[in-house]
Amino acid sequence: MKQEEWIQRLDRHMDGHQEQPSHDLWGGIEASLNGRTGQQPAVQPKRQARFVSLRRWAAAAALVGAMIGGGYFYWDREQVQQPSTTVSPTGTEPAILSHADGQTDTGVITPEQSVTDKLMAVVEQKIRTEQTQIRQEETLQAMNQIAEQTETAPAQETSGTTVETAPSQPQPDQIRQPEHVRQESGIVRRFGRQVRQNRQLALGIHTGGNTSGWENVNSVQMSHITRATTTANEAQARSNYLESYEEEQKHSRPISFGLTVSYPLTDKFTISTGIVYTDLHSDLNTLTRGVRTHKGQDLYYIGVPLNVQYRVWEYKGLKAYATAGGQADWNVKAYVRQDRVNQDIKKDDLQWSVAAGMGIQYNIIPQVGVYAEPGIRHYFNNGSNLSNYFKDKPTDFNLQLGLRVNL
Amino acid sequence: MAIGLRYISNRDEAEDVVQDSFVKILTSIEEFRFQGEGSLKSWISRIVAHKAVDSLRKSERVTFISAVPDTPEEEEQAEETAIERVPPDVLTRMIANLPSGYRMILNMHVFEHCTHKEIAQRLGIKEKSSASQFSRAKQLLTNMMEEYLKQNQI
């Protein structure tokens, strides 16, 4: 109480005390006021200053630029090719087809021909070679049978260029017998047995779908000649061609990039739509008689999603939500890349899908935000023959990134 | 001006504080709500005091000495001092000559009627520290007053 009394006495004693300022203090006050009022019009309603953080705009611009740049590099990536078949497309020297086992076939290929034509010519040459081998085998078998029956089998001289047969047998056409046939006769016989055993399997594989020319469907690379087969020999040649056929498909998991708009339905629920870009990449490797072929398949989809979001949590510009909805994807571009040559293929049919998951969004500015939506997506079978990730894994984890405009 | 000089010993600096305070008062006059006689004076005084405290914290190194308990003999001595015999302008100089921490706390507690809790929150110190600092400030001011009275034989 005594301290309180001291305080009150001091306060009362000093109350009303005034000190004289310097003569130019009011001038300074006036100058300050004039300086402020001079910047504003005479009659202007007071407005609260809006401070727009340039840092946020700079961060938004940097993020958009990074996404565009990153997306460009991601989509424009070069495919690493490992061709096991080498074809010299230029020059006048004949093209050489190298096999894994060291055999070589030469075909007459001119530089003016396209890569497709060159490949067709090479395969045709191979088929002719196979046909020749088959005919030779049959001839030898027939001759052996005759020799066993008559015990006076005529001498057969096989050279590197001609094959002589028994007079009772119809003369086969004069054909060139490559040297490796005699050396690999065991392989030929084994080849013959394998052909009989694997015929059904071979046919089963290549009935995945065939289109004209060199279009690739289900990664089975077929010449149009093999389609137009009516004779047994040609069917045999096709089976031989598909002997030891191995096929490997690797579908990369897609990542989608979206540009969407959202419209609030209620305080918690929001509906969003927009466009989504999806790139499907697949590596298709085939192994045919020791020859490995690698192709890259790229499918580009533009999709329109329709999702409903339920906001779970929000703090300042960051929010987490649950999302569910559907999407329709149109295949806008499809091609196969082999030996650095792109070949358009038939586009995929309309792809429907449904998805559910969680999302997280950060609003760089109140109107624009970036989001990431991991979840589960199921792709309905659209009935097309195109082999892609959607068919390989119809229900799988999905990640979508993008920009969202908040209406 | 008197309020400014109680906080800031340098006159020029005190005038700057008063000038800035009046600019703010005149440009923010629409924010004032009349609450009876003396409310305008209180509002103006509060603005000047706040400006002075902010200026003091920016310009001077304000130190708050750790709590020192007062002795009963010192308290009795303070009560007997004739505060009213010291002229107000002299008291203003005496208060301005106190250490910065003591000065701020004494002005805020005596003239702005802030509690030690409010002072502690505003200055970022402990409430006990504010109370002990005030006691020390009061003691020093009392000594100054007694010295003045002795010298002038009042």
Side-chain angles (χ1 to χ4, degrees), chain A residues 39-69:
Chain A
Q39 294 170 2
Q40 297 174 2
V43 179
Q44 188 178 8
K46 183 183 178 184
R47 293 180 298 178
Q48 283 197 350
R50 284 184 61 201
F51 292 96
V52 178
S53 174
L54 286 179
R55 269 188 244 171
R56 282 196 166 187
W57 282 103
L63 193 62
V64 170
M67 287 184 71
I68 294 173

PDB file of all heavy atoms in Angstrom, chain A residues 39-69:
ATOM      1  N   GLN A  39       0.549  12.347 -51.767  1.00  0.00           N
ATOM      2  CA  GLN A  39       0.558  11.129 -52.572  1.00  0.00           C
ATOM      3  C   GLN A  39      -0.829  10.615 -52.854  1.00  0.00           C
ATOM      4  O   GLN A  39      -1.028   9.749 -53.687  1.00  0.00           O
ATOM      5  CB  GLN A  39       1.355  10.044 -51.844  1.00  0.00           C
ATOM      6  CG  GLN A  39       2.818  10.376 -51.718  1.00  0.00           C
ATOM      7  CD  GLN A  39       3.519   9.417 -50.793  1.00  0.00           C
ATOM      8  OE1 GLN A  39       2.919   8.491 -50.289  1.00  0.00           O
ATOM      9  NE2 GLN A  39       4.793   9.653 -50.564  1.00  0.00           N
ATOM     10  N   GLN A  40      -1.814  11.124 -52.151  1.00  0.00           N
ATOM     11  CA  GLN A  40      -3.168  10.621 -52.329  1.00  0.00           C
ATOM     12  C   GLN A  40      -4.057  11.713 -52.905  1.00  0.00           C
ATOM     13  O   GLN A  40      -3.814  12.881 -52.652  1.00  0.00           O
ATOM     14  CB  GLN A  40      -3.731  10.155 -50.980  1.00  0.00           C
ATOM     15  CG  GLN A  40      -2.943   9.005 -50.386  1.00  0.00           C
ATOM     16  CD  GLN A  40      -3.432   8.654 -49.002  1.00  0.00           C
ATOM     17  OE1 GLN A  40      -4.376   9.243 -48.514  1.00  0.00           O
ATOM     18  NE2 GLN A  40      -2.781   7.696 -48.371  1.00  0.00           N
ATOM     19  N   PRO A  41      -5.078  11.390 -53.663  1.00  0.00           N
ATOM     20  CA  PRO A  41      -6.001  12.422 -54.151  1.00  0.00           C
ATOM     21  C   PRO A  41      -6.776  13.040 -52.985  1.00  0.00           C
ATOM     22  O   PRO A  41      -6.832  12.477 -51.898  1.00  0.00           O
ATOM     23  CB  PRO A  41      -6.929  11.663 -55.102  1.00  0.00           C
ATOM     24  CG  PRO A  41      -6.782  10.238 -54.725  1.00  0.00           C
ATOM     25  CD  PRO A  41      -5.407  10.077 -54.180  1.00  0.00           C
ATOM     26  N   ALA A  42      -7.366  14.165 -53.291  1.00  0.00           N
ATOM     27  CA  ALA A  42      -8.021  14.930 -52.230  1.00  0.00           C
ATOM     28  C   ALA A  42      -9.164  14.131 -51.620  1.00  0.00           C
ATOM     29  O   ALA A  42      -9.322  14.072 -50.417  1.00  0.00           O
ATOM     30  CB  ALA A  42      -8.532  16.250 -52.793  1.00  0.00           C
ATOM     31  N   VAL A  43      -9.935  13.558 -52.482  1.00  0.00           N
ATOM     32  CA  VAL A  43     -11.073  12.787 -51.977  1.00  0.00           C
ATOM     33  C   VAL A  43     -10.866  11.349 -52.402  1.00  0.00           C
ATOM     34  O   VAL A  43     -10.964  11.011 -53.573  1.00  0.00           O
ATOM     35  CB  VAL A  43     -12.405  13.325 -52.543  1.00  0.00           C
ATOM     36  CG1 VAL A  43     -13.563  12.492 -52.012  1.00  0.00           C
ATOM     37  CG2 VAL A  43     -12.567  14.784 -52.177  1.00  0.00           C
ATOM     38  N   GLN A  44     -10.554  10.533 -51.465  1.00  0.00           N
ATOM     39  CA  GLN A  44     -10.328   9.123 -51.794  1.00  0.00           C
ATOM     40  C   GLN A  44     -10.715   8.277 -50.600  1.00  0.00           C
ATOM     41  O   GLN A  44     -10.263   8.531 -49.493  1.00  0.00           O
ATOM     42  CB  GLN A  44      -8.856   8.904 -52.134  1.00  0.00           C
ATOM     43  CG  GLN A  44      -8.580   7.507 -52.683  1.00  0.00           C
ATOM     44  CD  GLN A  44      -7.143   7.311 -53.050  1.00  0.00           C
ATOM     45  OE1 GLN A  44      -6.314   8.167 -52.752  1.00  0.00           O
ATOM     46  NE2 GLN A  44      -6.826   6.197 -53.661  1.00  0.00           N
ATOM     47  N   PRO A  45     -11.528   7.336 -50.812  1.00  0.00           N
ATOM     48  CA  PRO A  45     -11.892   6.488 -49.681  1.00  0.00           C
ATOM     49  C   PRO A  45     -10.676   5.699 -49.221  1.00  0.00           C
ATOM     50  O   PRO A  45      -9.840   5.290 -50.016  1.00  0.00           O
ATOM     51  CB  PRO A  45     -12.972   5.560 -50.255  1.00  0.00           C
ATOM     52  CG  PRO A  45     -12.745   5.573 -51.727  1.00  0.00           C
ATOM     53  CD  PRO A  45     -12.203   6.916 -52.051  1.00  0.00           C
ATOM     54  N   LYS A  46     -10.631   5.490 -47.951  1.00  0.00           N
ATOM     55  CA  LYS A  46      -9.487   4.780 -47.414  1.00  0.00           C
ATOM     56  C   LYS A  46      -9.549   3.315 -47.831  1.00  0.00           C
ATOM     57  O   LYS A  46     -10.572   2.655 -47.680  1.00  0.00           O
ATOM     58  CB  LYS A  46      -9.486   4.904 -45.890  1.00  0.00           C
ATOM     59  CG  LYS A  46      -8.286   4.240 -45.258  1.00  0.00           C
ATOM     60  CD  LYS A  46      -8.345   4.318 -43.755  1.00  0.00           C
ATOM     61  CE  LYS A  46      -7.152   3.595 -43.176  1.00  0.00           C
ATOM     62  NZ  LYS A  46      -7.205   3.562 -41.723  1.00  0.00           N
ATOM     63  N   ARG A  47      -8.450   2.835 -48.378  1.00  0.00           N
ATOM     64  CA  ARG A  47      -8.398   1.449 -48.771  1.00  0.00           C
ATOM     65  C   ARG A  47      -7.266   0.761 -48.043  1.00  0.00           C
ATOM     66  O   ARG A  47      -6.208   1.338 -47.831  1.00  0.00           O
ATOM     67  CB  ARG A  47      -8.162   1.314 -50.268  1.00  0.00           C
ATOM     68  CG  ARG A  47      -9.324   1.809 -51.117  1.00  0.00           C
ATOM     69  CD  ARG A  47      -8.995   1.628 -52.576  1.00  0.00           C
ATOM     70  NE  ARG A  47      -7.828   2.409 -52.944  1.00  0.00           N
ATOM     71  CZ  ARG A  47      -7.321   2.387 -54.178  1.00  0.00           C
ATOM     72  NH1 ARG A  47      -7.854   1.619 -55.100  1.00  0.00           N
ATOM     73  NH2 ARG A  47      -6.272   3.097 -54.484  1.00  0.00           N
ATOM     74  N   GLN A  48      -7.542  -0.391 -47.695  1.00  0.00           N
ATOM     75  CA  GLN A  48      -6.491  -1.154 -47.037  1.00  0.00           C
ATOM     76  C   GLN A  48      -5.513  -1.670 -48.079  1.00  0.00           C
ATOM     77  O   GLN A  48      -5.900  -2.204 -49.099  1.00  0.00           O
ATOM     78  CB  GLN A  48      -7.101  -2.331 -46.289  1.00  0.00           C
ATOM     79  CG  GLN A  48      -7.755  -1.902 -44.982  1.00  0.00           C
ATOM     80  CD  GLN A  48      -7.976  -3.081 -44.078  1.00  0.00           C
ATOM     81  OE1 GLN A  48      -7.804  -4.209 -44.496  1.00  0.00           O
ATOM     82  NE2 GLN A  48      -8.336  -2.818 -42.838  1.00  0.00           N
ATOM     83  N   ALA A  49      -4.260  -1.452 -47.818  1.00  0.00           N
ATOM     84  CA  ALA A  49      -3.234  -1.876 -48.768  1.00  0.00           C
ATOM     85  C   ALA A  49      -3.200  -3.389 -48.842  1.00  0.00           C
ATOM     86  O   ALA A  49      -3.301  -4.081 -47.826  1.00  0.00           O
ATOM     87  CB  ALA A  49      -1.879  -1.337 -48.332  1.00  0.00           C
ATOM     88  N   ARG A  50      -3.112  -3.865 -50.073  1.00  0.00           N
ATOM     89  CA  ARG A  50      -3.003  -5.309 -50.266  1.00  0.00           C
ATOM     90  C   ARG A  50      -1.556  -5.629 -50.572  1.00  0.00           C
ATOM     91  O   ARG A  50      -0.981  -5.098 -51.506  1.00  0.00           O
ATOM     92  CB  ARG A  50      -3.883  -5.754 -51.426  1.00  0.00           C
ATOM     93  CG  ARG A  50      -5.356  -5.804 -51.082  1.00  0.00           C
ATOM     94  CD  ARG A  50      -6.118  -6.347 -52.246  1.00  0.00           C
ATOM     95  NE  ARG A  50      -5.691  -7.698 -52.553  1.00  0.00           N
ATOM     96  CZ  ARG A  50      -5.882  -8.270 -53.731  1.00  0.00           C
ATOM     97  NH1 ARG A  50      -6.464  -7.614 -54.693  1.00  0.00           N
ATOM     98  NH2 ARG A  50      -5.486  -9.487 -53.963  1.00  0.00           N
ATOM     99  N   PHE A  51      -1.021  -6.434 -49.780  1.00  0.00           N
ATOM    100  CA  PHE A  51       0.360  -6.810 -50.003  1.00  0.00           C
ATOM    101  C   PHE A  51       0.384  -8.151 -50.733  1.00  0.00           C
ATOM    102  O   PHE A  51      -0.107  -9.143 -50.219  1.00  0.00           O
ATOM    103  CB  PHE A  51       1.092  -6.897 -48.661  1.00  0.00           C
ATOM    104  CG  PHE A  51       1.247  -5.559 -48.002  1.00  0.00           C
ATOM    105  CD1 PHE A  51       0.336  -5.132 -47.041  1.00  0.00           C
ATOM    106  CD2 PHE A  51       2.280  -4.708 -48.349  1.00  0.00           C
ATOM    107  CE1 PHE A  51       0.469  -3.894 -46.437  1.00  0.00           C
ATOM    108  CE2 PHE A  51       2.418  -3.469 -47.741  1.00  0.00           C
ATOM    109  CZ  PHE A  51       1.521  -3.060 -46.783  1.00  0.00           C
ATOM    110  N   VAL A  52       0.913  -8.123 -51.919  1.00  0.00           N
ATOM    111  CA  VAL A  52       1.036  -9.353 -52.679  1.00  0.00           C
ATOM    112  C   VAL A  52       2.475  -9.806 -52.578  1.00  0.00           C
ATOM    113  O   VAL A  52       3.388  -9.104 -52.987  1.00  0.00           O
ATOM    114  CB  VAL A  52       0.660  -9.152 -54.159  1.00  0.00           C
ATOM    115  CG1 VAL A  52       0.833 -10.439 -54.934  1.00  0.00           C
ATOM    116  CG2 VAL A  52      -0.765  -8.646 -54.251  1.00  0.00           C
ATOM    117  N   SER A  53       2.656 -10.958 -52.025  1.00  0.00           N
ATOM    118  CA  SER A  53       4.009 -11.442 -51.855  1.00  0.00           C
ATOM    119  C   SER A  53       4.576 -11.860 -53.210  1.00  0.00           C
ATOM    120  O   SER A  53       4.091 -12.777 -53.848  1.00  0.00           O
ATOM    121  CB  SER A  53       4.002 -12.626 -50.881  1.00  0.00           C
ATOM    122  OG  SER A  53       5.275 -13.188 -50.799  1.00  0.00           O
ATOM    123  N   LEU A  54       5.609 -11.125 -53.628  1.00  0.00           N
ATOM    124  CA  LEU A  54       6.222 -11.478 -54.902  1.00  0.00           C
ATOM    125  C   LEU A  54       6.909 -12.823 -54.818  1.00  0.00           C
ATOM    126  O   LEU A  54       7.083 -13.498 -55.827  1.00  0.00           O
ATOM    127  CB  LEU A  54       7.223 -10.390 -55.306  1.00  0.00           C
ATOM    128  CG  LEU A  54       6.605  -9.074 -55.803  1.00  0.00           C
ATOM    129  CD1 LEU A  54       7.709  -8.094 -56.139  1.00  0.00           C
ATOM    130  CD2 LEU A  54       5.709  -9.320 -57.003  1.00  0.00           C
ATOM    131  N   ARG A  55       7.280 -13.182 -53.611  1.00  0.00           N
ATOM    132  CA  ARG A  55       7.975 -14.455 -53.466  1.00  0.00           C
ATOM    133  C   ARG A  55       7.064 -15.594 -53.898  1.00  0.00           C
ATOM    134  O   ARG A  55       7.492 -16.568 -54.510  1.00  0.00           O
ATOM    135  CB  ARG A  55       8.388 -14.647 -52.010  1.00  0.00           C
ATOM    136  CG  ARG A  55       9.775 -14.096 -51.729  1.00  0.00           C
ATOM    137  CD  ARG A  55      10.217 -14.467 -50.338  1.00  0.00           C
ATOM    138  NE  ARG A  55      10.393 -13.303 -49.530  1.00  0.00           N
ATOM    139  CZ  ARG A  55      10.609 -13.327 -48.216  1.00  0.00           C
ATOM    140  NH1 ARG A  55      10.631 -14.453 -47.571  1.00  0.00           N
ATOM    141  NH2 ARG A  55      10.786 -12.237 -47.543  1.00  0.00           N
ATOM    142  N   ARG A  56       5.767 -15.436 -53.556  1.00  0.00           N
ATOM    143  CA  ARG A  56       4.859 -16.525 -53.915  1.00  0.00           C
ATOM    144  C   ARG A  56       4.709 -16.606 -55.427  1.00  0.00           C
ATOM    145  O   ARG A  56       4.662 -17.692 -56.013  1.00  0.00           O
ATOM    146  CB  ARG A  56       3.507 -16.285 -53.265  1.00  0.00           C
ATOM    147  CG  ARG A  56       3.502 -16.639 -51.792  1.00  0.00           C
ATOM    148  CD  ARG A  56       2.110 -16.757 -51.273  1.00  0.00           C
ATOM    149  NE  ARG A  56       2.087 -17.405 -49.991  1.00  0.00           N
ATOM    150  CZ  ARG A  56       0.969 -17.749 -49.373  1.00  0.00           C
ATOM    151  NH1 ARG A  56      -0.193 -17.505 -49.928  1.00  0.00           N
ATOM    152  NH2 ARG A  56       1.011 -18.327 -48.202  1.00  0.00           N
ATOM    153  N   TRP A  57       4.580 -15.445 -56.058  1.00  0.00           N
ATOM    154  CA  TRP A  57       4.454 -15.463 -57.514  1.00  0.00           C
ATOM    155  C   TRP A  57       5.715 -16.042 -58.145  1.00  0.00           C
ATOM    156  O   TRP A  57       5.642 -16.810 -59.107  1.00  0.00           O
ATOM    157  CB  TRP A  57       4.220 -14.036 -58.031  1.00  0.00           C
ATOM    158  CG  TRP A  57       2.816 -13.572 -57.851  1.00  0.00           C
ATOM    159  CD1 TRP A  57       2.349 -12.721 -56.901  1.00  0.00           C
ATOM    160  CD2 TRP A  57       1.685 -13.955 -58.637  1.00  0.00           C
ATOM    161  NE1 TRP A  57       1.003 -12.541 -57.047  1.00  0.00           N
ATOM    162  CE2 TRP A  57       0.560 -13.276 -58.097  1.00  0.00           C
ATOM    163  CE3 TRP A  57       1.514 -14.778 -59.741  1.00  0.00           C
ATOM    164  CZ2 TRP A  57      -0.711 -13.409 -58.633  1.00  0.00           C
ATOM    165  CZ3 TRP A  57       0.227 -14.906 -60.267  1.00  0.00           C
ATOM    166  CH2 TRP A  57      -0.857 -14.222 -59.706  1.00  0.00           C
ATOM    167  N   ALA A  58       6.874 -15.654 -57.613  1.00  0.00           N
ATOM    168  CA  ALA A  58       8.117 -16.177 -58.163  1.00  0.00           C
ATOM    169  C   ALA A  58       8.193 -17.688 -57.958  1.00  0.00           C
ATOM    170  O   ALA A  58       8.617 -18.426 -58.841  1.00  0.00           O
ATOM    171  CB  ALA A  58       9.311 -15.494 -57.485  1.00  0.00           C
ATOM    172  N   ALA A  59       7.755 -18.151 -56.803  1.00  0.00           N
ATOM    173  CA  ALA A  59       7.769 -19.595 -56.552  1.00  0.00           C
ATOM    174  C   ALA A  59       6.810 -20.306 -57.490  1.00  0.00           C
ATOM    175  O   ALA A  59       7.118 -21.379 -58.024  1.00  0.00           O
ATOM    176  CB  ALA A  59       7.384 -19.875 -55.096  1.00  0.00           C
ATOM    177  N   ALA A  60       5.638 -19.685 -57.728  1.00  0.00           N
ATOM    178  CA  ALA A  60       4.671 -20.316 -58.645  1.00  0.00           C
ATOM    179  C   ALA A  60       5.239 -20.371 -60.051  1.00  0.00           C
ATOM    180  O   ALA A  60       5.146 -21.390 -60.736  1.00  0.00           O
ATOM    181  CB  ALA A  60       3.353 -19.530 -58.632  1.00  0.00           C
ATOM    182  N   ALA A  61       5.864 -19.272 -60.478  1.00  0.00           N
ATOM    183  CA  ALA A  61       6.431 -19.265 -61.831  1.00  0.00           C
ATOM    184  C   ALA A  61       7.562 -20.273 -61.946  1.00  0.00           C
ATOM    185  O   ALA A  61       7.672 -20.982 -62.952  1.00  0.00           O
ATOM    186  CB  ALA A  61       6.935 -17.855 -62.164  1.00  0.00           C
ATOM    187  N   ALA A  62       8.382 -20.373 -60.927  1.00  0.00           N
ATOM    188  CA  ALA A  62       9.488 -21.323 -60.970  1.00  0.00           C
ATOM    189  C   ALA A  62       8.963 -22.752 -60.998  1.00  0.00           C
ATOM    190  O   ALA A  62       9.480 -23.602 -61.721  1.00  0.00           O
ATOM    191  CB  ALA A  62      10.400 -21.119 -59.756  1.00  0.00           C
ATOM    192  N   LEU A  63       7.903 -23.005 -60.251  1.00  0.00           N
ATOM    193  CA  LEU A  63       7.365 -24.362 -60.217  1.00  0.00           C
ATOM    194  C   LEU A  63       6.743 -24.738 -61.546  1.00  0.00           C
ATOM    195  O   LEU A  63       6.933 -25.854 -62.055  1.00  0.00           O
ATOM    196  CB  LEU A  63       6.327 -24.468 -59.098  1.00  0.00           C
ATOM    197  CG  LEU A  63       5.899 -25.879 -58.720  1.00  0.00           C
ATOM    198  CD1 LEU A  63       7.077 -26.671 -58.214  1.00  0.00           C
ATOM    199  CD2 LEU A  63       4.814 -25.816 -57.673  1.00  0.00           C
ATOM    200  N   VAL A  64       6.012 -23.797 -62.145  1.00  0.00           N
ATOM    201  CA  VAL A  64       5.417 -24.086 -63.451  1.00  0.00           C
ATOM    202  C   VAL A  64       6.504 -24.318 -64.474  1.00  0.00           C
ATOM    203  O   VAL A  64       6.443 -25.241 -65.293  1.00  0.00           O
ATOM    204  CB  VAL A  64       4.492 -22.922 -63.880  1.00  0.00           C
ATOM    205  CG1 VAL A  64       4.072 -23.090 -65.317  1.00  0.00           C
ATOM    206  CG2 VAL A  64       3.280 -22.862 -62.976  1.00  0.00           C
ATOM    207  N   GLY A  65       7.539 -23.490 -64.451  1.00  0.00           N
ATOM    208  CA  GLY A  65       8.634 -23.673 -65.388  1.00  0.00           C
ATOM    209  C   GLY A  65       9.345 -24.992 -65.181  1.00  0.00           C
ATOM    210  O   GLY A  65       9.691 -25.689 -66.140  1.00  0.00           O
ATOM    211  N   ALA A  66       9.523 -25.389 -63.933  1.00  0.00           N
ATOM    212  CA  ALA A  66      10.191 -26.665 -63.666  1.00  0.00           C
ATOM    213  C   ALA A  66       9.336 -27.824 -64.144  1.00  0.00           C
ATOM    214  O   ALA A  66       9.842 -28.804 -64.696  1.00  0.00           O
ATOM    215  CB  ALA A  66      10.473 -26.790 -62.167  1.00  0.00           C
ATOM    216  N   MET A  67       8.025 -27.727 -63.956  1.00  0.00           N
ATOM    217  CA  MET A  67       7.154 -28.817 -64.394  1.00  0.00           C
ATOM    218  C   MET A  67       7.152 -28.918 -65.909  1.00  0.00           C
ATOM    219  O   MET A  67       7.222 -30.013 -66.466  1.00  0.00           O
ATOM    220  CB  MET A  67       5.741 -28.591 -63.870  1.00  0.00           C
ATOM    221  CG  MET A  67       5.612 -28.849 -62.379  1.00  0.00           C
ATOM    222  SD  MET A  67       3.935 -28.683 -61.801  1.00  0.00           S
ATOM    223  CE  MET A  67       3.210 -30.130 -62.527  1.00  0.00           C
ATOM    224  N   ILE A  68       7.090 -27.777 -66.586  1.00  0.00           N
ATOM    225  CA  ILE A  68       7.084 -27.810 -68.044  1.00  0.00           C
ATOM    226  C   ILE A  68       8.412 -28.328 -68.559  1.00  0.00           C
ATOM    227  O   ILE A  68       8.469 -29.178 -69.448  1.00  0.00           O
ATOM    228  CB  ILE A  68       6.771 -26.414 -68.617  1.00  0.00           C
ATOM    229  CG1 ILE A  68       5.335 -26.011 -68.261  1.00  0.00           C
ATOM    230  CG2 ILE A  68       6.980 -26.380 -70.116  1.00  0.00           C
ATOM    231  CD1 ILE A  68       4.986 -24.596 -68.639  1.00  0.00           C
ATOM    232  N   GLY A  69       9.503 -27.802 -67.981  1.00  0.00           N
ATOM    233  CA  GLY A  69      10.820 -28.256 -68.421  1.00  0.00           C
ATOM    234  C   GLY A  69      11.054 -29.711 -68.115  1.00  0.00           C
ATOM    235  O   GLY A  69      11.538 -30.475 -68.947  1.00  0.00           O
TER     236      GLY A  69
END
